[in-house]
Amino acid sequence: MEMVKAASPAPVQGAASGRATAQHAPVLGSASANPLGDLQALAQVSQRVARALRALFEPMLRQPVKVAAEPIAVHRFDDYLAANCSGLASATLIGMAPLSGHAMLVLDGAFTFRLVDLYFGGPGLVPNPLPAEFTPTAEAMIGRAATGITERLAGGWAELAEIEFQVGRTETNPHMLSHIDGEDRVVLTRFLLTIGEGRAVPIDLLYPAASLKPIAGILSSKVQARRQAEDPSWTNKLMRAAMNVKMPVRSVLAEPVIPLAQLMSLKPGDIIPISFGPEIPLLVSGNRFARGAVGASNGRAAIRVHRIEPIENEDS
């Protein structure tokens, strides 16, 4: 089975929060900064993963959660560390076979301690000052979050490529990572997690640009291929459901026009003369569908359909 299945189109979405994104520059515009192209399909993957992360964190924290994917960005690894990892943070390596290298999940230290407090029923308090190292409980929370996020990555990528994501070791100091050079380019997919009414915090997933080069073509694809053949059973069920949809049908016998003065003076018993031709329109959801004649059937007023009106082409 081929690893690459299909490419999925998606405009690169903007951030849903007010968090400044200036530190992400350069983004997608420069060929020298981003050798992988515009990454339209990867942006679609991020949107799917963001939706899945909400389902991960809401049961864990027992609070309403919002997750939004920020625009894709490309950085030198050293530049990313300088801008985002000046304090306590963790980096969990994630294997992505058959691609080489490892993705990296970066979690802020303060955010990790907040998750711990919320998980055990607290209000989300963060130690002040922040410890220099993670506690065993915080490390366990990092592992739990990393496992849940990794499990959802496969689903987010499923329509694009068959990649087996697997949680690896966690480094409690991202600056100590030895498998990647500071000059190497990394593709940053950032998810902004908002818990309740709190401030959005980032969850960063970094892909080494070199690791993604074998699938660079589909990462920039704007055409989504069908993953698999249509399921006849599903198609038939969809058709039956569509055929059972009830549509409002009405007819208009006449639409007389009278002066406002006469309208204002109307009283019970007044007669408004109307006239209509041999045919009246039959309207479906406000659109003219057919024409017919008024008559009776089985003792009830009815309309005999004479002809079906041609459907107007909205694109013409």
Side-chain angles (χ1 to χ4, degrees), residues 3 14 21 27 29-30 65 67 69 83 91 93 99-100 114 118 164 192 197 203 254 272 285:
M3 178 189 72
T21 57
V27 292
S30 168
V65 166
V67 183
L93 301 184
L99 299 178
S100 62
R114 185 183 178 198
L118 287 169
E164 182 181 351
L192 292 181
E197 300 299 324
I203 297 175
I272 300 177
S285 295

Side-chain angles (χ1 to χ4, degrees), residues 145-303:
T147 299
I149 292 172
T150 302
E151 290 173 349
R152 283 152 180 81
L153 282 178
W157 277 84
E159 295 185 13
L160 194 64
E162 286 186 353
I163 299 178
E164 182 181 351
F165 293 96
Q166 186 170 4
V167 178
R169 67 181 176 88
T170 295
E171 176 60 62
T172 55
N173 183 354
H175 293 268
M176 300 301 293
L177 290 171
S178 59
H179 76 289
I180 184 170
D181 188 84
E183 293 296 321
D184 291 345
R185 300 266 174 198
V186 291
V187 178
L188 168 62
T189 57
R190 169 167 290 175
F191 306 97
L192 292 181
L193 176 69
T194 305
I195 304 172
E197 300 299 324
R199 183 175 65 88
V201 293
I203 297 175
D204 289 348
L205 186 63
L206 306 175
Y207 301 97
S211 299
L212 297 181
K213 280 186 177 180
I215 57 173
I218 63 170
L219 292 179
S220 299
S221 175
K222 298 179 181 179
V223 178
Q224 181 176 1
R226 188 181 301 275
R227 289 188 61 204
Q228 56 186 6
E230 288 187 356
D231 181 353
S233 175
W234 181 87
T235 302
N236 291 336
K237 290 178 181 178
L238 177 62
M239 180 64 70
R240 288 196 297 270
M243 292 298 101
N244 286 329
V245 173
K246 298 184 183 298
M247 304 294 292
V249 179
R250 67 186 183 92
S251 61
V252 179
L253 291 177
E255 294 180 320
V257 177
I258 63 176
L260 177 60
Q262 182 181 351
L263 180 65
M264 299 298 293
S265 63
L266 284 177
K267 58 184 181 298
D270 288 349
I271 296 176
I272 300 177
I274 61 172
S275 61
F276 54 90
E279 292 183 338
I280 62 170
L282 191 66
L283 307 177
V284 177
S285 295
N287 299 308
R288 182 172 295 180
F289 176 76
R291 298 189 68 87
V294 177
S297 175
N298 296 325
R300 303 178 63 181
I303 297 176

Side-chain angles (χ1 to χ4, degrees), residues 64-154:
V65 166
K66 297 178 182 178
V67 183
E70 282 207 329
I72 306 297
V74 179
H75 301 278
R76 290 173 58 252
F77 185 56
D78 273 350
D79 292 340
Y80 169 80
L81 292 177
N84 300 277
C85 298
S86 58
L88 183 65
S90 65
T92 301
L93 301 184
I94 300 175
M96 43 185 187
L99 299 178
S100 62
H102 294 81
M104 291 163 281
L105 174 67
V106 179
L107 298 178
D108 176 71
F111 170 60
T112 301
F113 281 105
R114 185 183 178 198
L115 288 182
V116 171
D117 193 66
L118 287 169
Y119 181 75
F120 287 103
L125 297 178
V126 177
N128 188 14
L130 200 64
E133 297 180 350
F134 289 106
T135 63
T137 303
E139 291 179 353
M141 177 57 68
I142 292 170
R144 183 184 183 93
T147 299
I149 292 172
T150 302
E151 290 173 349
R152 283 152 180 81
L153 282 178

Side-chain angles (χ1 to χ4, degrees), residues 19-38:
R19 182 182 177 92
T21 57
Q23 292 181 345
H24 287 203
V27 292
L28 307 185
S30 168
S32 60
N34 177 18
L36 299 175
D38 58 13

